[in-house]
Amino acid sequence: MADDKDVLRDVWFGRIPTCFTLHQDEVTEREAEPFYLLLPRVSYLTLVTDKVKKHFQKVMKPDDVEEMWFEYEGTALKWHYPIGLLYDLHASNTALPWSIFVHFKNFPLQDLLHCPSNSVIEAHFMSCIKEADALKHKGAVVNEMQKKDHKQLWMGLQNDKFDQFWAMNRKLMEYPIEERGFRYIPFRIYQPTSDRPFIQKLFRPVSPDGHVHTLGDLLKEMLPAAIPKDNEKKKYQVVIHGIEPMLETPIQWLSEHLSHPDNFLHISIIPAQCD
Amino acid sequence: MPSSLLWAVDVFGRVYSLSPTSQQWDLCKEAQLEIKRITATQQCCWAIACDHQIYLNVYASDVPIRYQEETYENQRWNPMDGFSDRLLPSDRWQWSDVTGLKHQPLDSFRLPSDNWEWEADWYVDENFGGEATEKAGWTYAIDFPASYTKDKKWNSCVRRRRWIRFRRYKARDTWAKVSSELPGSLPDPFSDISCGGWEITEEPMGLISLWAVTLQGKVWFREDIHHQNPEGSAWVEVQCPGEVVQISCGPGDLVWAVMWEGHLLVREGIGRDCPKGTSWAEVQSPSPEFGAIHVAVGVSVVWAVTKDRKVWFRRGINSHNPCGSGWISMVGEMVMIDVGVNDQVWGISSEDRAVYFRQGVTSSELSGKAWRALTSLRDGDRSSSRSSAGSLASAGCFFSNEVTVQSQGSVPGDMDMEPEGASGGNPDPQEQADASKRRIPKVTSDSFISELVSDREGQPEKHEGTVVAPIPEEEAETEQEVKVAPAVVLSRSPSGRPDHAWSNVDLEEAQGRLAVGCPASDTGDSCSLSSVATYNLDEPYGADDHPIWAWVNGGSCVVDSHSQLNWFNSGVSSAQSMSLSVSPAQTAAWRKQIFEQLSERSKREMENFRHYEQAVEQAVWVKKGTMQWWRDWKPYKWVDVHFALEQFCGTDGNKEGIIFIYYTFNDEKKYLHTFINEVTILVPVLSDSKHTFAIYTPERTKQRWPIRLAVATEQEMHDWLALLSVSCCDSRGIQGPPCKQAIWSVTCKGDIFVSEPTPSLEASPYPMPCDQMYWHQIGGHLRVIECNSLGVVWGIGYDHTAWVYTGGYGGGFFQGLASSTDNIYTQTDTKSVYIYENQRWNPVTGYTNRGLPTDRYMWSDASGLQECTKENTKLPSPQWAWVNDWTVDYNVSGGTDKEGWQYAADFPTSFHGSKTLKDFVRRRRWARKCKLTTTGPWKEVPPIPLSEITTLPCMAASRMEHVPLWAISSKGDVLCRLDVTVQAPAGTSWLHVGTDQPFKSICIGSAHQVWAIARDGSVFYRGSVSPQNLAGDCWYHIPSPPRQKLKQVSVGRTSVYAVDENGNLWFRQGLTPSYPQGSSWEHISTNVRKVSVGPLDQVWIIADKVQGSHSLSCGTVCRRLGVLPMEPKGLSWDYGIGGGWEHITVRGNSTEAPRISMPSMVGGPTPASGAPRGTPPVSIPDVMNGNAVRS
């Protein structure tokens, strides 16, 4: 008899065991040991890798150190995507720990945004929250909050304080009972091999005739290919936070419980395993 | 608590009831007659029908109303025949009552009325004061007026035996006419009725006063109404100074009446010994021009209505002054007013005839704040939009019958009928409505109502024209349908036969009519009539035209300041029930799947990597405060300290913490510290003077000397307790609801604690010491809690209310994330606080409150050691609130005299209920009730109050369709709960299991062996209980241990243990599958208060007088050591948490430790911790991120 609150906790405390290895192209003074960390799924790579940076800088000449970036099997990892999304999208179903190469040179400008400091991450995070609230409540809730409330959301994420974050985030998840949900569901659908970075459109939690929209309804409208046709083998996995919710799951519930701290429901559509 | 209902009668004489949580008036279907007035109690309601006779409706209950008739068969021994029924001429009758004065042979017993039935024939009672007699049940004595023994002796000259027979009240949930016992004595027809007075005497008796007024203005009182005699026995006329028109009786001792001239009468002298009262006092009408026409009284309020419809409130009413002191004019114009439970007030407005509720009535503001109209709809008011579940539920059996008829009647017709069937989903009340509407004139007793009604009489005809429409459409269909459709309609509404009994349209009847109906189908007239009845009759009472009420009664409606009332805005409910987070989708597959996948994910991604460093370090975090600390050394006293909780992240990712207490001793600053992960329990110790709590560690438990701390306010204490508790749970990795195997316990304050058992707890031979168990608190307030390993958990409050666990956690002072949200409910409990008034006799003045200098306080606690006056006795803790004033308690063991006094030769001796020459002191007990309101994961299981509960202990993997759960009601009835499942642990209803006497303890073992103890100490084994035969078949009387009265029994997998009234623990020897009753009792231990035997046959007790190294404790949790399958008695005790514990249940814990193989006992002790099974070995590198890894 689990409680919905436990879901929030499980989502927040999701961790990905990661092994950071310095890429062989990097020049070092002595051999660099790999570095192991438990990364919070809901956080951002550049926010939680200070230790990694320090670890590898010890074996490098200061001149060789430029902006740190990460690569997994040839893909440059976008720091502005939540870590859990990056893992689900690129490395689902692979053996743990997740092996990431660390680079300090040849920053791939065409793929990545610069991240000179944490304030850039904060700005990105807050803009996501504002965008999500614009969809959910026409921005009413986030605009009513004070500067310190915004800070509380960010500090909660940065310091991995679940209680602190959710004390504030709860307000963003409220809606009038008679409306039966948010105005629109803030969601983004990602595919590992796609030209577009993600799909994002307006989608209501309840249809005009009062029918509750499900995850299946959302995909049917946004990406019909993701839904297995009758009698056909499943071609794609629909992954949120490393799990595959049933297509019958109400989208409003998912938005309330499985959104990332940026208030978006990040959905990865990855090819199904062939085994 | 019985269910709570507001009753009302409309101008057509239809009776409706409304529950505080409902938005809809339910029509009382059983009423075949028009009712004029109604007066209700929690158990039954009384009514005057249009025939001016009185009818009684006793609510259905799972517990029958049983009355035990008894008579004695007497015999005398003579040398010729031995014992025979030939008695001496001076002897008593051969068949007599217990005193021998009354001749009562078996065939002299008659049922008091047609509403009773015999349960079985007469039989001999073989139980004699808790002991089984010889087969025939004879008890022997030297002569008749002597004491009897069960053994025949040489000088036993007479013998007698007791025959018993039960009769049962059968007219429940129906209006039964209260027969007039003597034709001549019955007065003229009744015109008003009012019942109350149930607060004058205590529960076990349950006396009810019923007052009635006749058309001639006489007042009558019904004698001897109580639980076992719901009809009462006789009418007694109460003389009054004039003609009375209306009377009102409150729950307490207030009775007021209105006289024809408009004055009011107040009954005086009502009391425990004289429920009728002794005299009348007169009170003038509130208004000089207009006399009173209506009065309504509660416990301490009086409301009146004058002829100009003005409402008045009487000032200054209290138990010493039932007349009050003056009238206050209130806003609003009412036809009548009623005062219900808790002095809540309802009225019927003279303007629109709607029912109004007086909002804001509290014990401090008895006149309330404002009138508010009830907008609740009636059955059938919303027929067109009413395919909702609520209306279907109230349709009950009618609906299901209807479906059967349709499907049998015609398949093609189904399509056409369906929408109509759905919209008329509850046709019967409407039909009834229609039927009674046709008979309007009969009902109208009051000219105002007849006026109203005559306005409306044209309307039904008008509507007939509009509704005939569906019929031609049906006729246009195929011939077959024409035949069927009217038949179906007819089956629902045979309005062509006005004398038909409405209450039971059963299938056979419907089918019968189907045949009758067919030939008639071509007469369009009957068709149109019936369709009017079915479809449209509620039209005149649509949204714009509300019902017209004639009478309202709140005598069974329990409403108080925190009650949720759904009466006022009927539109909102649908929206709320749609909200996702509270929908029944709780159990939906998608939700379950997400929970499962998330825990799988955590396992997959984190389990083997716990030794990895966290990316985000948790900083050390400190909370400080000032407190007082009960110093560890003499002289013991409260000293001011600084308290700090430091929290940080441990190496394994768990949060850790340390408690620091900084104090000053001899001007030197010192501190005491305790690691959070060593804390075993945090116990709130609310007292009237200080907000204190206790912190235990295993060491402190051994000492029986916790760290005791006090803070300034209750809020501060709750904040600290919540914080420390979360911190302790975090350090032990405990979150969410307790597991199904959990061990539950309750303290003497009613606080609930739960402990998650580890496999090592019941490991043998080296179990984890039980002082190391970690307990955390769960919200709520209970006296008893029982569970099993399937997660079925029930509790009983101090007020005997039954509660079922909802699967949540937190509640009480746990707020926010330490508490679940979905399944936390409000919980209330009441208990009484007792003080004693002591007096000593002296030859001059008799008994006075002047004692000897050596005597106890003249106002004291039970022991006499503490002074307790009415004024200085405080609430048990700030959580409680008083609900009444001090009253004399007559319900004391040993009995009392009429004023509640008990007598004794001197103070510290046993008291008895009547004065003798040797008695020099007396005392009486005063009681005052108080009430607590809190929250917790508990849901009430109404309506039967319970005193004991037990559920079958089993292995966690067991599968049972229905979980056996037995209980004992507060009156001593044995009950068996039906349809208890893991998904729905509350079950559906009680099955009453007959007994000859009230019971007090019951327990069911793993093999369905049910043991029980009666109030007289007799032990019983219930035969043939099985999953197929839940209630078993008969009771076997088991002898008690010699000279001991058992009081509690617990049955595990095979073991049976019992505790007697002197605190001895007994083990039942010689139990075998073929002889489950066993052979004898073996003494195990003394100083035992309660025992709980679990599914592993583990034995846990609450023990008294446990000596610790610093202090002695009473009410301590202990566990029997050395219990093995072949050694079920165990060897010694292991002492756990306490004192101050009241109850424990280990019946959920079936977690067995992995068996440790002990090849040779000679080989020295084996380490106790077995390797955990099931987890694959993970190779952990020795060095990681440059640091050594600690495992």
Side-chain angles (χ1 to χ4, degrees):
Chain A
M1 286 194 254
D3 195 72
D4 283 354
K5 242 179 223 157
D6 302 337
V7 175
L8 303 182
R9 227 171 232 290
D10 280 356
V11 163
W12 183 274
F13 290 106
R15 296 283 186 269
I16 294 169
T18 311
C19 170
F20 291 93
T21 317
L22 194 63
H23 196 264
Q24 64 266 27
D25 293 355
E26 302 292 326
V27 183
T28 60
E29 292 185 310
R30 51 180 195 272
E31 199 191 339
E33 294 274 327
F35 193 79
Y36 298 91
L37 265 190
L38 282 175
L39 300 181
R41 269 180 164 270
V42 294
S43 194
Y44 298 94
L45 268 178
T46 42
L47 187 60
V48 294
T49 47
D50 281 351
K51 285 181 184 172
V52 180
K53 197 169 179 180
K54 276 196 198 122
H55 174 83
F56 290 114
Q57 275 175 347
K58 282 192 287 195
V59 295
M60 296 174 73
K61 273 192 234 153
D63 298 350
D64 294 330
V65 177
E66 288 166 33
E67 187 173 350
M68 180 170 67
W69 60 281
F70 304 96
E71 174 224 313
Y72 171 72
E73 291 187 348
T75 313
L77 295 174
K78 294 183 173 63
W79 63 262
H80 63 281
Y81 285 6
I83 293 166
L85 167 66
L86 290 171
Y87 176 79
D88 291 343
L89 196 59
H90 302 298
S92 283
N93 309 319
T94 61
L96 289 168
W98 187 23
S99 283
I100 293 183
F101 281 121
V102 181
H103 293 265
F104 285 95
K105 270 197 295 217
N106 305 327
F107 192 86
L109 266 177
Q110 70 287 1
D111 294 326
L112 298 186
L113 301 169
H114 276 297
C115 178
S117 75
N118 283 356
S119 60
V120 178
I121 313 173
E122 181 181 353
H124 165 73
F125 173 72
M126 288 316 299
S127 76
C128 283
I129 286 200
K130 283 175 186 163
E131 184 182 348
D133 197 57
L135 291 167
K136 292 199 283 195
H137 310 105
K138 296 188 182 169
V141 179
V142 80
N143 290 336
E144 256 175 44
M145 285 182 180
Q146 295 177 336
K147 185 81 193 139
K148 71 172 172 57
D149 299 338
H150 291 174
K151 207 72 192 170
Q152 185 176 341
L153 287 169
W154 167 246
M155 295 305 284
L157 178 74
Q158 183 177 328
N159 297 331
D160 194 26
K161 296 269 196 255
F162 173 77
D163 298 354
Q164 187 183 349
F165 176 82
W166 268 99
M168 197 46 65
N169 197 50
R170 212 180 49 209
K171 297 184 184 168
L172 293 166
M173 290 298 176
E174 284 168 359
Y175 55 89
I177 277 173
E178 58 277 9
E179 310 245 313
R180 300 172 56 193
F182 302 136
R183 243 164 68 82
Y184 298 105
I185 299 290
F187 72 93
R188 285 172 182 171
I189 297 175
Y190 303 82
Q191 288 172 282
T193 51
S194 171
D195 306 334
R196 287 199 291 179
F198 49 77
I199 303 171
Q200 180 180 350
K201 288 180 186 164
L202 294 183
F203 187 78
R204 287 191 187 268
V206 181
S207 71
D209 57 2
H211 163 82
V212 172
H213 277 149
T214 64
L215 178 59
D217 295 331
L218 176 80
L219 293 175
K220 220 176 283 168
E221 202 169 314
M222 306 297 160
L223 194 68
I227 298 176
K229 301 201 178 52
D230 295 339
N231 310 323
E232 205 177 89
K233 230 183 122 202
K234 192 168 77 171
K235 271 198 263 176
Y236 293 98
Q237 283 181 287
V238 179
V239 182
I240 310 173
H241 287 291
I243 63 167
E244 289 181 76
M246 289 166 72
L247 294 179
E248 290 77 18
T249 314
I251 199 76
Q252 173 67 31
W253 191 93
L254 283 177
S255 182
E256 282 174 58
H257 296 92
L258 291 192
S259 283
H260 274 267
D262 65 8
N263 276 252
F264 271 90
L265 194 56
H266 295 285
I267 306 168
S268 311
I269 310 289
I270 55 169
Q273 277 176 298
C274 304
D275 52 11
Chain B
M1 284 285 135
S3 55
S4 166
L5 288 177
L6 178 69
W7 292 88
V9 181
D10 73 3
V11 289
F12 303 110
R14 289 173 295 194
V15 178
Y16 288 85
S17 61
L18 176 68
S19 119
T21 52
S22 162
Q23 299 177 352
Q24 191 168 300
W25 290 96
D26 284 322
L27 182 72
C28 179
K29 295 187 193 66
E30 286 75 17
Q32 290 158 32
L33 16 87
E34 291 102 20
I35 300 286
K36 293 160 71 81
R37 290 191 174 175
I38 194 160
T39 175
T41 72
Q42 303 267 315
Q43 294 82 29
C44 62
C45 61
W46 300 78
I48 298 181
C50 57
D51 58 0
H52 296 284
Q53 297 295 315
I54 290 184
Y55 289 80
L56 168 64
N57 184 351
V58 180
Y59 310 149
S61 161
D62 295 333
V63 179
I65 295 173
R66 299 167 87 218
Y67 187 86
Q68 188 187 61
E69 299 279 16
E70 64 165 25
T71 190
Y72 285 87
E73 181 181 3
N74 305 305
Q75 291 192 345
R76 179 173 282 281
W77 188 86
N78 69 55
M80 307 273 285
D81 319 290
F83 281 105
S84 78
D85 55 5
R86 279 196 293 166
L87 303 174
L88 296 178
S90 61
D91 277 341
R92 54 187 60 193
W93 306 91
Q94 284 160 15
W95 293 89
S96 74
D97 67 351
V98 66
T99 61
L101 300 174
K102 200 174 153 209
H103 177 51
Q104 43 183 38
L106 294 182
D107 57 9
S108 69
F109 287 86
R110 294 266 176 274
L111 290 172
S113 76
D114 293 344
N115 301 327
W116 291 87
E117 65 191 358
W118 291 113
E119 229 178 57
D121 205 350
W122 287 97
Y123 58 95
V124 171
D125 180 20
E126 291 177 358
N127 179 20
F128 181 66
E131 289 181 75
T133 61
E134 301 290 309
K135 198 76 199 129
W138 292 105
T139 55
Y140 299 87
I142 303 173
D143 199 1
F144 277 121
S147 59
Y148 292 80
T149 59
K150 76 184 179 82
D151 302 311
K152 188 159 81 176
K153 300 192 185 113
W154 64 270
N155 60 355
S156 300
C157 295
V158 298
R159 65 177 187 180
R160 71 171 184 189
R161 58 180 173 179
R162 183 168 173 255
W163 289 75
I164 52 177
R165 188 181 195 186
F166 283 93
R167 58 182 155 88
R168 191 186 279 250
Y169 188 77
K170 64 177 180 185
R172 305 192 86 167
D173 245 6
T174 180
W175 294 96
K177 194 165 173 174
V178 176
S179 55
S180 44
E181 52 294 318
L182 297 166
S185 80
L186 228 217
D188 42 356
F190 290 104
S191 67
D192 189 42
I193 192 171
S194 180
C195 67
W198 55 81
E199 283 181 10
I200 299 175
T201 54
E202 301 77 23
E203 235 326 272
M205 267 280 258
L207 278 177
I208 287 173
S209 303
L210 179 71
W211 297 79
V213 176
T214 65
L215 285 177
Q216 287 177 8
K218 291 194 174 127
V219 174
W220 293 76
F221 180 83
R222 183 80 179 170
E223 293 212 299
D224 203 21
I225 304 175
H226 55 86
H227 287 324
Q228 290 187 327
N229 189 22
E231 299 168 290
S233 52
W235 287 107
V236 183
E237 188 174 350
V238 178
Q239 295 300 327
C240 29
E243 274 183 40
V244 170
V245 290
Q246 190 251 331
I247 197 161
S248 176
C249 172
D253 52 9
L254 271 189
V255 175
W256 282 53
V258 181
M259 303 230 281
W260 190 81
E261 303 87 353
H263 299 317
L264 294 140
L265 289 177
V266 183
R267 192 70 180 165
E268 291 180 323
I270 293 178
R272 204 181 139 76
D273 305 311
C274 185
K276 283 203 296 286
T278 50
S279 59
W280 294 104
E282 203 168 319
V283 170
Q284 292 301 312
S285 165
S287 142
E289 311 93 277
F290 298 100
I293 54 161
H294 190 97
V295 69
V297 304
V299 176
S300 49
V301 295
V302 173
W303 292 71
V305 179
T306 45
K307 290 195 171 98
D308 55 351
R309 309 285 181 207
K310 287 248 165 25
V311 177
W312 303 83
F313 177 81
R314 185 78 177 170
R315 198 150 46 80
I317 303 272
N318 59 49
S319 53
H320 312 294
N321 182 15
C323 296
S325 51
W327 293 104
I328 303 169
S329 172
M330 306 300 282
V331 182
E333 298 202 338
M334 297 285 163
V335 180
M336 62 88 57
I337 277 189
D338 188 70
V339 180
V341 182
N342 297 328
D343 288 341
Q344 301 295 317
V345 181
W346 290 269
I348 293 175
S349 156
S350 66
E351 189 187 338
D352 55 1
R353 286 297 187 121
V355 173
Y356 281 75
F357 174 64
R358 186 78 184 169
Q359 277 197 312
V361 174
T362 60
S363 52
S364 53
E365 194 173 358
L366 288 165
S367 57
K369 293 201 166 67
W371 294 106
R372 188 155 181 201
L374 270 63
T375 55
S376 310
L377 297 165
R378 292 180 305 170
D379 261 4
D381 276 352
R382 275 191 293 184
S383 84
S384 57
S385 59
R386 289 218 357 235
S387 48
S388 72
S391 64
L392 291 180
S394 65
C397 58
F398 300 101
F399 187 68
S400 59
N401 278 335
E402 192 176 69
V403 171
T404 322
V405 173
Q406 281 186 2
S407 59
Q408 289 193 345
S410 146
V411 178
D414 243 86
M415 292 300 284
D416 282 337
M417 292 310 294
E418 209 147 64
E420 292 150 7
S423 68
N426 189 7
D428 291 76
Q430 298 163 19
E431 288 158 29
Q432 273 188 335
D434 185 64
S436 51
K437 200 165 17 170
R438 280 157 212 282
R439 283 174 284 163
I440 283 163
K442 261 164 73 186
V443 204
T444 57
S445 57
D446 153 338
S447 62
F448 178 77
I449 299 176
S450 32
E451 255 173 58
L452 271 169
V453 169
S454 59
D455 284 351
R456 289 173 189 284
E457 272 188 316
Q459 290 193 2
E461 283 84 1
K462 194 174 87 203
H463 282 282
E464 255 172 54
T466 59
V467 235
V468 188
I471 303 300
E473 276 177 33
E474 281 175 4
E475 282 173 344
E477 303 290 332
T478 67
E479 203 179 273
Q480 189 193 6
E481 274 177 359
V482 175
K483 267 191 202 161
V484 172
V488 174
V489 170
L490 272 173
S491 76
R492 283 187 246 153
S493 127
S495 52
R497 299 161 61 185
D499 53 349
H500 175 71
W502 286 102
S503 48
N504 277 311
V505 182
D506 62 28
L507 187 57
E508 289 78 11
E509 221 177 326
Q511 280 174 327
R513 232 176 293 121
L514 195 89
V516 177
C518 283
S521 64
D522 50 351
T523 67
D525 193 35
S526 79
C527 269
S528 69
L529 263 178
S530 41
S531 60
V532 168
T534 317
Y535 308 133
N536 231 349
L537 104 325
D538 46 293
E539 194 63 21
Y541 304 103
D544 51 338
D545 200 356
H546 61 81
I548 306 157
W549 296 108
W551 194 258
V552 64
N553 186 281
S556 67
C557 190
V558 184
V559 174
D560 57 26
S561 46
H562 74 267
S563 299
Q564 279 274 315
L565 297 174
N566 286 341
W567 293 340
F568 305 114
N569 30 12
S570 44
V572 185
S573 72
S574 52
Q576 279 172 346
S577 65
M578 291 310 290
S579 164
L580 279 169
S581 50
V582 295
S583 71
Q586 288 291 353
T587 51
W590 56 261
R591 188 189 297 261
K592 207 173 138 216
Q593 203 227 15
I594 285 175
F595 289 152
E596 284 170 7
Q597 286 198 14
L598 276 173
S599 70
E600 264 170 45
R601 185 200 74 175
S602 304
K603 218 170 157 183
R604 181 175 73 230
E605 296 181 351
M606 284 147 70
E607 194 169 78
N608 293 341
F609 303 97
R610 297 232 174 253
H611 53 288
Y612 278 31
E613 212 172 302
Q614 291 284 346
V616 183
E617 293 291 344
Q618 296 284 333
V620 173
W621 178 90
V622 183
K623 182 167 160 96
K624 292 177 177 170
T626 53
M627 294 188 188
Q628 286 188 304
W629 170 54
W630 187 249
R631 211 164 66 171
D632 272 351
W633 58 87
K634 282 180 183 166
Y636 301 122
K637 62 173 183 182
W638 291 103
V639 293
D640 290 330
V641 293
H642 289 279
F643 184 92
L645 169 66
E646 284 192 24
Q647 283 185 293
F648 48 89
C649 232
T651 42
D652 52 354
N654 278 352
K655 273 196 213 159
E656 297 292 347
I658 306 175
I659 292 168
F660 291 94
I661 296 165
Y662 299 95
Y663 61 93
T664 321
F665 183 60
N666 291 340
D667 292 332
E668 204 181 324
K669 286 189 173 172
K670 294 190 162 187
Y671 73 89
L672 181 92
H673 74 281
T674 298
F675 289 98
I676 276 289
N677 62 8
E678 286 177 356
V679 171
T680 52
I681 190 167
L682 301 153
V683 191
V685 191
L686 281 166
S687 64
D688 52 359
S689 54
K690 271 195 154 52
H691 307 282
T692 70
F693 60 95
I695 301 175
Y696 283 87
T697 60
E699 191 50 38
R700 295 259 170 193
T701 304
K702 284 191 186 80
Q703 295 171 349
R704 306 281 148 206
W705 191 265
I707 301 172
R708 290 173 65 191
L709 294 157
V711 292
T713 65
E714 189 185 1
Q715 184 57 44
E716 205 182 319
M717 186 186 81
H718 286 162
D719 289 348
W720 273 110
L721 279 175
L723 179 74
L724 289 167
S725 181
V726 166
S727 179
C728 290
C729 286
D730 280 346
S731 81
R732 290 168 185 264
I734 290 169
Q735 50 161 292
C739 70
K740 293 177 174 182
Q741 312 266 307
I743 297 173
W744 297 77
S745 69
V746 179
T747 67
C748 58
K749 306 263 180 188
D751 290 325
I752 303 157
F753 287 90
V754 66
S755 180
E756 308 273 338
T758 57
S760 61
L761 186 62
E762 297 296 346
S764 179
Y766 301 107
M768 180 182 101
C770 62
D771 55 19
Q772 289 180 12
M773 292 166 75
Y774 173 69
W775 296 92
H776 63 277
Q777 199 173 351
I778 294 276
H781 190 266
L782 296 173
R783 185 179 54 81
V784 167
I785 194 162
E786 281 298 335
C787 64
N788 72 4
S789 53
L790 302 175
V792 175
V793 185
W794 280 55
I796 302 172
Y798 278 71
D799 60 359
H800 300 292
T801 309
W803 301 87
V804 64
Y805 174 61
T806 60
Y809 57 96
F813 55 77
F814 296 99
Q815 305 288 326
L817 294 153
S819 174
S820 52
T821 42
D822 301 346
N823 31 30
I824 296 290
Y825 299 94
T826 300
Q827 191 183 28
T828 60
D829 208 348
T830 51
K831 67 175 183 183
S832 289
V833 175
Y834 300 107
I835 57 173
Y836 288 85
E837 180 182 4
N838 305 301
Q839 293 192 341
R840 179 172 284 276
W841 187 85
N842 72 61
V844 185
T845 46
Y847 284 104
T848 63
N849 55 7
R850 274 186 302 172
L852 298 176
T854 53
D855 275 348
R856 55 184 58 193
Y857 295 101
M858 289 295 102
W859 288 88
S860 74
D861 64 353
S863 67
L865 299 174
Q866 206 108 50
E867 181 170 29
C868 299
T869 61
K870 285 184 186 176
E871 293 74 31
N872 79 4
T873 301
K874 294 198 180 116
L875 287 160
S877 81
Q879 295 169 290
W880 295 85
W882 294 118
V883 293
N884 67 354
D885 207 348
W886 290 104
T887 52
V888 173
D889 186 4
Y890 300 91
N891 207 3
V892 188
S893 69
T896 70
D897 71 0
K898 282 186 174 184
E899 287 175 310
W901 292 104
Q902 294 187 297
Y903 298 84
D906 200 359
F907 276 121
T909 56
S910 68
F911 285 83
H912 43 93
S914 56
K915 193 168 90 174
T916 66
L917 278 176
K918 285 180 282 179
D919 293 328
F920 288 96
V921 298
R922 65 176 185 178
R923 67 168 187 192
R924 62 176 166 182
R925 190 160 86 164
W926 291 76
R928 192 177 187 186
K929 273 190 195 148
C930 54
K931 181 172 185 174
L932 167 142
T933 304
T934 181
T935 58
W938 307 98
K939 205 159 190 193
E940 187 178 342
V941 187
I944 295 172
L946 302 181
S947 65
E948 276 280 319
I949 195 116
T950 178
T951 180
L952 184 131
C954 55
M955 292 296 134
S958 315
R959 283 184 194 279
M960 266 182 259
E961 196 183 348
H962 294 293
V963 182
L965 187 139
W966 291 63
I968 292 178
S969 80
S970 60
K971 294 200 179 87
D973 298 290
V974 175
L975 304 167
C976 184
R977 190 74 177 170
L978 300 179
D979 303 320
V980 175
T981 61
V982 174
Q983 290 76 30
T988 53
S989 60
W990 294 107
L991 178 69
H992 180 260
V993 179
T995 58
D996 292 348
Q997 53 190 321
F999 274 50
K1000 63 180 174 188
S1001 175
I1002 195 158
C1003 196
I1004 182 168
S1006 299
H1008 288 85
Q1009 65 277 46
V1010 174
W1011 287 70
I1013 299 174
R1015 285 205 185 147
D1016 67 1
S1018 329
V1019 187
F1020 291 95
Y1021 174 82
R1022 183 81 181 166
S1024 307
V1025 180
S1026 68
Q1028 291 73 40
N1029 183 12
L1030 279 179
D1033 55 10
C1034 63
W1035 295 105
Y1036 295 97
H1037 194 146
I1038 310 273
S1040 301
R1043 291 175 306 282
Q1044 297 294 347
K1045 274 191 176 179
L1046 294 181
K1047 64 169 188 184
Q1048 190 236 334
V1049 64
S1050 188
V1051 189
R1053 183 163 53 189
T1054 53
S1055 293
V1056 176
Y1057 279 84
V1059 178
D1060 70 27
E1061 285 175 350
N1062 296 319
N1064 297 303
L1065 180 69
W1066 300 88
F1067 171 75
R1068 188 69 182 169
Q1069 285 277 16
L1071 299 166
T1072 61
S1074 58
Y1075 194 65
Q1077 292 100 316
S1079 55
S1080 64
W1081 294 103
E1082 185 180 338
H1083 189 259
I1084 299 292
S1085 180
T1086 52
N1087 289 327
V1088 178
R1089 205 187 281 179
K1090 250 182 186 173
V1091 62
S1092 177
V1093 184
L1096 308 170
D1097 277 343
Q1098 72 268 42
V1099 182
W1100 291 65
I1101 57 163
I1102 302 289
D1104 280 336
K1105 297 184 190 160
V1106 170
Q1107 182 65 53
S1109 57
H1110 273 58
S1111 155
L1112 183 89
S1113 74
C1114 288
T1116 306
V1117 171
C1118 302
R1119 176 254 313 269
R1120 192 78 182 159
L1121 289 174
V1123 174
L1124 289 168
M1126 298 312 290
E1127 198 66 50
K1129 288 177 293 184
L1131 298 166
S1132 60
W1133 295 108
D1134 173 26
Y1135 303 103
I1137 192 64
W1141 255 249
E1142 184 70 33
H1143 185 89
I1144 184 166
T1145 178
V1146 295
R1147 294 167 65 80
N1149 182 19
S1150 61
T1151 329
E1152 269 181 297
R1155 278 278 145 78
I1156 308 160
S1157 56
M1158 296 186 67
S1160 60
M1161 294 297 282
V1162 216
T1166 326
S1169 58
R1173 293 176 301 177
T1175 39
V1178 179
S1179 59
I1180 296 173
D1182 293 343
V1183 176
M1184 174 157 300
N1185 298 348
N1187 300 317
V1189 173
R1190 284 189 289 162
S1191 56

